[in-house]
Amino acid sequence: METNNKKAWLYLLPAGIFLAVFMVYPLIDVLIYSMEESYNFASQTSRGTGLYNFNYILHDPYFLQAVRNTALCVAITVPISTGLSLLIAFGLSSIKALRNLFQTIYFLPYVTNTLAVGLVFMILFKKTAYTDGMVNLLIHFFHGPSVDFIDGPYWAKMFVLCFYVIWIVMPFKILILTSALASVDVSYYNAAKVDGTKGWRIFLRITLPMISPTVFYLIITGFIGAFKEYSDAVALFGTDLNAAKMNTIVGYIYDMLYGDSGGYPSYAAAAAILLFAIILTITVINLLVSRKHVYY
Amino acid sequence: MKVTLKDLTKRFPGRSRKDPAVTAVNDFDFEIPSGELVGLLGPSGCGKSTTLLMICGLEKPTEGQIFFDDEDVTNIPPEERGVGLVFQNYALYPHMTVEQNIMFPLGNLKGADKLTKEQMKEKAKTAAKLVQIDHLLERRPKELSGGQQQRVAIARALVKMPRVLLMDEPLSNLDARLRLQTRVEIRRIQRETGITTIFVTHDQEEAMSISDTIVVMKDGVVQQIGRPQDVYDDPHNLFVAKFLGTPPINVFSGNLHRGKIYIGEDEVFDADNLAPDPGTVRPGADGVRKGPGKLAKDAGDCKVWIGIRPEGFYVDENGPLTCNLKGVEIMGRDVTVLSEHPEFEGETIRTIVDSENRPDTSKSEVHFRVRPGKIFIFSEDTEERLYGSR
Ligand SMILES: Nc1ncnc2c1ncn2[C@@H]1O[C@H](COP(=O)(O)OP(=O)(O)OP(=O)(O)O)[C@@H](O)[C@H]1O
Ligand SMILES: [Mg+2]
């Protein structure tokens, strides 16, 4: 028993060292940075410790904008992408003909390069000297006014961003949900059918609870992923996200470190700690909710 | 509710040219009397589940009809047939409590039949009482033993008071003891409710012990239907004889010669003691009478299979059948004698004798005599029964 225990620790050691060096140490370091006022990389000095950095970023309009954008993006994309994926996965699992074809089609965005998808979105939404973009052509067709989705009003840009994020994350969710649906034993459905259960009741009372662990997994990872949103915004609006008013928290952290306004590791660290705290809170809430509603 | 299957056939199409269509159920034509417990019995893959699924409506027959009493239900969807189905794996909804599981079918009732929550709870309670799990209503299925889960499944199938109760190998997931206990329970529940019940199993002992009637099947074809004891005492063919009974029947290859039955050189039975196959008075499934008449002294010589039940032997110094003694197993009152014979179909002949009748284990040979009524003669090529002893 004793030696077994030692062996177990020995086996865990490589992973442990790896985690310590690349996870635990940086985490602690970031926490320290966030508490040090005006830390300077070059001289390795700071002016003092305290909550100064947090105070600063919480009053920085760019940070507040980034938080607002991120929160909006999370609140819109997570429910819609999860719900839509569920719908499509359910549809896919109930058709027989051409299922593989449809599965492939829905999975294509996942294996497509982000920047290539960005290009497609440009064609769809961007106004150039030659064209207003495909979506505007569609709007014109219905006699609507032109909208500039990339450089135009805030809501239009937010719409495109959310559209993009939903588009990007759905294939993975559909894939996972389709396999979750496929793993529900048919005898449950047969039992329900013999009892004369209607389709929607089967879905709500049997299918959904059975795949609830997967759904919650997707919601939790969806929340985390959406809070870390950054690259998609860059793909759409370029690197100067502050100017476009489309920055996200991760974007703000990046800017503070390397952007034009870069060189402020303390602010970046403080923002990172705040992001960490937000994600942690949301995840804990998610887990608490899921414990009530997931049956395994 | 009487259930009638008429020329019922189910063919599954093959997937490719190499994989031909499977006839899972071939031309079933029988009637299940109202209020009986019927065991569908046969080896794996013989079409038991398919038959059951056709009766409950989850599977559509390729040909033929199904009647509940005089009503043709062949094209009626499962929910309108009024059947209860207990699945092999129970299919209890894992996220619902026992009570919710049992109530679930009631929640589907519409219109005039719609029940209030209290009425549903009441009915669930009654069903749970019937299967004696009313103290477990708050539990989840995974917190129950296999036997308890099985009862929940039965309660769920019973709660709507189905016209027919169907069970697909309901005991196969239980351990030997629980299986014994639960099959008695099933019998009791069936008696109490009087619901016509069809019960699928591949365990002959199970089927024999609780069924009013057993239907023995093989490769999608009904072999024999009857009261368990009748089928045991009067098997129509070698398959049925071999399938029923523990330990199984002992089959020897032998000869008919001048009205006598030989195993190797040993004349084990005399024609005077052989009755003709009851098939001569019983029309077969095809309506044609089977079997020859009484075995005549001058009947043609032929090779046959000779089946002798384990309890059909007794040890006798001067007995005609000589076997090599391998050992004895003493199990209380009875003794199992293990022996060998070159004409025996398997490895070891198992015979059951009284303990006073046990052979002398110091000898290497044992001599048997055969009891009347326990020996059956089957045609070597058709494996149909030719004669049975009186
Ligand atoms: N959906 C199907 N498609 C094709 N063939 C099938 C299908 N269902 C069953 N079969 C075939 O029909 C035959 C009978 O199957 P069935 O499930 O009725 O057997 P069973 O008697 O219940 O066997 P077991 O005791 O193993 O459950 C088998 O040969 C099986 O391969
Ligand atoms: Mg089966």
Side-chain angles (χ1 to χ4, degrees):
Chain A
M1 192 68 219
E2 206 30 35
T3 52
N4 251 347
N5 242 331
K6 278 190 191 136
K7 254 192 204 157
W9 285 112
L10 191 69
Y11 293 146
L12 281 174
L13 202 61
I17 291 176
F18 206 80
L19 274 177
V21 172
F22 290 102
M23 288 275 306
V24 181
Y25 169 71
L27 258 176
I28 294 172
D29 219 29
V30 167
L31 195 64
I32 293 172
Y33 277 149
S34 72
M35 299 291 194
E36 288 176 341
E37 193 178 331
S38 305
Y39 179 76
N40 188 313
F41 266 130
S43 62
Q44 304 257 324
T45 56
S46 68
R47 270 201 273 152
T49 54
L51 294 176
Y52 168 81
N53 298 319
F54 291 96
N55 192 29
Y56 174 85
I57 61 167
L58 285 175
H59 289 96
D60 182 353
Y62 284 141
F63 183 71
L64 297 178
Q65 176 76 54
V67 170
R68 199 174 315 128
N69 289 340
T70 309
L72 211 57
C73 182
V74 168
I76 294 172
T77 61
V78 174
I80 294 185
S81 66
T82 313
L84 268 183
S85 306
L86 197 56
L87 224 66
I88 291 174
F90 195 61
L92 277 177
S93 68
S94 34
I95 56 168
K96 282 208 183 77
L98 299 180
R99 178 191 300 181
N100 286 333
L101 176 70
F102 281 115
Q103 250 167 4
T104 313
I105 290 175
Y106 283 113
F107 199 59
L108 268 181
Y110 192 67
V111 291
T112 312
N113 190 301
T114 317
L115 294 178
V117 179
L119 201 68
V120 172
F121 269 70
M122 286 299 166
I123 295 170
L124 283 176
F125 290 105
K126 180 128 177 124
K127 236 180 177 165
T128 63
Y130 317 106
T131 165
D132 277 0
M134 300 255 275
V135 174
N136 269 322
L137 290 183
L138 204 69
I139 294 176
H140 291 164
F141 182 79
F142 290 104
H143 305 292
S146 233
V147 179
D148 188 343
F149 285 99
I150 304 297
D151 298 314
Y154 178 73
W155 68 264
K157 288 192 280 193
M158 202 51 173
F159 170 80
V160 176
L161 180 65
C162 290
F163 196 123
Y164 189 96
V165 172
I166 291 170
W167 174 256
I168 288 282
V169 298
M170 280 219 331
F172 177 71
K173 297 192 175 187
I174 293 172
L175 182 79
I176 299 284
L177 286 170
T178 328
S179 64
L181 285 172
S183 67
V184 177
D185 197 317
V186 283
S187 60
Y188 294 120
Y189 295 132
N190 280 340
K193 209 167 4 163
V194 173
D195 292 333
T197 320
K198 293 277 172 292
W200 59 270
R201 190 164 188 251
I202 293 183
F203 182 74
L204 286 182
R205 295 289 311 273
I206 298 172
T207 312
L208 211 49
M210 297 289 242
I211 62 168
S212 58
T214 308
V215 173
F216 268 94
Y217 162 76
L218 288 179
I219 289 178
I220 289 174
T221 53
F223 266 111
I224 294 173
F227 269 114
K228 299 205 296 203
E229 172 52 44
Y230 173 49
S231 61
D232 303 332
V234 171
L236 286 172
F237 307 110
T239 45
D240 196 354
L241 290 173
N242 278 339
K245 290 201 167 204
M246 290 310 291
N247 211 351
T248 63
I249 301 180
V250 173
Y252 181 85
I253 296 170
Y254 180 87
D255 287 345
M256 278 301 172
L257 281 174
Y258 309 112
D260 289 340
S261 56
Y264 302 101
S266 304
Y267 296 150
I273 292 292
L274 281 182
L275 177 61
F276 176 73
I278 294 172
I279 293 182
L280 189 69
T281 316
I282 298 279
T283 306
V284 166
I285 292 174
N286 264 326
L287 286 175
L288 288 178
V289 172
S290 77
R291 193 164 304 162
K292 260 194 134 175
H293 292 279
V294 174
Y295 313 94
Y296 292 101
Chain B
M1 180 67 46
K2 185 177 76 184
V3 177
T4 311
L5 308 185
K6 218 160 172 239
D7 306 323
L8 198 65
T9 297
K10 177 74 190 182
R11 271 187 291 274
F12 291 109
R15 289 201 179 277
S16 61
R17 216 177 310 160
K18 270 194 209 138
D19 176 25
V22 184
T23 306
V25 171
N26 195 352
D27 206 15
F28 277 22
D29 202 61
F30 58 87
E31 203 180 283
I32 293 163
S34 181
E36 276 206 1
L37 179 60
V38 174
L40 285 188
L41 177 63
S44 185
C46 71
K48 304 178 298 280
S49 298
T50 309
T51 310
L52 211 64
L53 290 179
M54 283 195 288
I55 296 174
C56 87
L58 285 170
E59 203 73 80
K60 259 205 152 3
T62 317
E63 280 161 33
Q65 288 156 299
I66 301 164
F67 294 91
F68 285 1
D69 279 344
D70 295 323
E71 180 191 356
D72 183 349
V73 296
T74 319
N75 293 312
I76 293 183
E79 64 268 21
E80 287 165 33
R81 292 193 186 189
V83 294
L85 182 57
V86 177
F87 288 83
Q88 184 163 351
N89 60 357
Y90 312 147
L92 297 177
Y93 309 123
H95 52 283
M96 298 184 199
T97 63
V98 168
E99 186 179 40
Q100 288 167 332
N101 260 290
I102 301 178
M103 276 176 7
F104 191 81
L106 299 175
N108 296 321
L109 296 173
K110 284 274 129 49
D113 299 331
K114 203 166 163 56
L115 299 174
T116 64
K117 194 100 192 167
E118 278 64 45
Q119 286 171 314
M120 284 195 222
K121 277 183 183 281
E122 195 52 46
K123 288 209 172 203
K125 182 106 187 154
T126 314
K129 272 221 181 82
L130 187 66
V131 296
Q132 300 177 344
I133 46 156
D134 44 325
H135 55 295
L136 302 172
L137 288 176
E138 297 309 314
R139 302 247 192 116
R140 290 261 160 80
K142 69 171 178 201
E143 297 158 354
L144 301 177
S145 74
Q148 290 166 337
Q149 287 181 22
Q150 197 253 3
R151 291 177 204 204
V152 178
I154 296 180
R156 187 178 66 183
L158 282 175
V159 72
K160 264 176 150 179
M161 278 298 145
R163 302 192 287 178
V164 179
L165 180 62
L166 307 167
M167 299 197 246
D168 194 352
E169 309 208 15
L171 307 183
S172 61
N173 288 347
L174 308 183
D175 69 33
R177 250 180 87 157
L178 205 51
R179 204 177 308 180
L180 228 67
Q181 216 174 41
T182 320
R183 75 188 191 200
V184 178
E185 280 294 283
I186 291 181
R187 175 85 262 201
R188 175 185 65 79
I189 295 161
Q190 196 270 337
R191 284 259 162 80
E192 264 174 48
T193 57
I195 294 175
T196 310
T197 302
I198 303 169
F199 171 97
V200 162
T201 177
H202 57 249
D203 181 342
Q204 52 90 19
E205 209 183 325
E206 205 168 284
M208 300 268 289
S209 63
I210 66 169
S211 311
D212 294 312
T213 300
I214 56 173
V215 179
V216 186
M217 318 170 32
K218 176 194 171 197
D219 297 339
V221 180
V222 172
Q223 304 292 310
Q224 193 168 349
I225 302 174
R227 307 278 153 199
Q229 194 62 45
D230 294 348
V231 178
Y232 181 83
D233 289 338
D234 179 22
H236 290 183
N237 61 37
L238 186 59
F239 173 81
V240 176
K242 278 187 184 170
F243 201 74
L244 300 184
T246 26
I249 196 166
N250 297 295
V251 179
F252 300 84
S253 129
N255 286 297
L256 267 185
H257 180 60
R258 296 194 178 196
K260 295 196 167 104
I261 296 158
Y262 292 88
I263 296 175
E265 298 296 308
D266 306 329
E267 180 204 324
V268 288
F269 224 79
D270 196 308
D272 290 341
N273 288 316
L274 276 183
D277 169 27
T280 47
V281 290
R282 177 203 68 229
D286 48 3
V288 179
R289 291 166 160 235
K290 282 188 186 162
K294 183 172 164 51
L295 182 56
K297 285 261 192 253
D298 55 352
D301 296 354
C302 61
K303 296 206 69 145
V304 291
W305 293 114
I306 300 165
I308 309 172
R309 295 277 181 211
E311 67 275 21
F313 295 82
Y314 58 97
V315 179
D316 181 341
E317 288 282 302
N318 308 313
L321 181 63
T322 309
C323 302
N324 294 324
L325 186 61
K326 279 172 82 179
V328 296
E329 286 170 2
I330 297 166
M331 356 216 317
R333 203 164 43 80
D334 290 336
V335 174
T336 305
V337 182
L338 309 174
S339 58
E340 286 174 328
H341 192 281
E343 298 299 321
F344 184 64
E345 208 204 5
E347 281 282 313
T348 306
I349 306 167
R350 287 182 163 267
T351 60
I352 299 174
V353 298
D354 273 358
S355 55
E356 302 93 65
N357 190 229
R358 86 176 91 162
D360 183 353
T361 43
S362 61
K363 301 226 176 81
S364 66
E365 285 188 338
V366 57
H367 302 277
F368 290 113
R369 203 171 278 284
V370 180
R371 285 180 206 281
K374 295 292 178 187
I375 178 165
F376 308 105
I377 315 297
F378 303 94
S379 152
E380 195 196 32
D381 40 307
T382 64
E383 302 197 344
E384 287 292 321
R385 165 103 162 276
L386 297 175
Y387 310 99
S389 65
R390 271 195 220 108

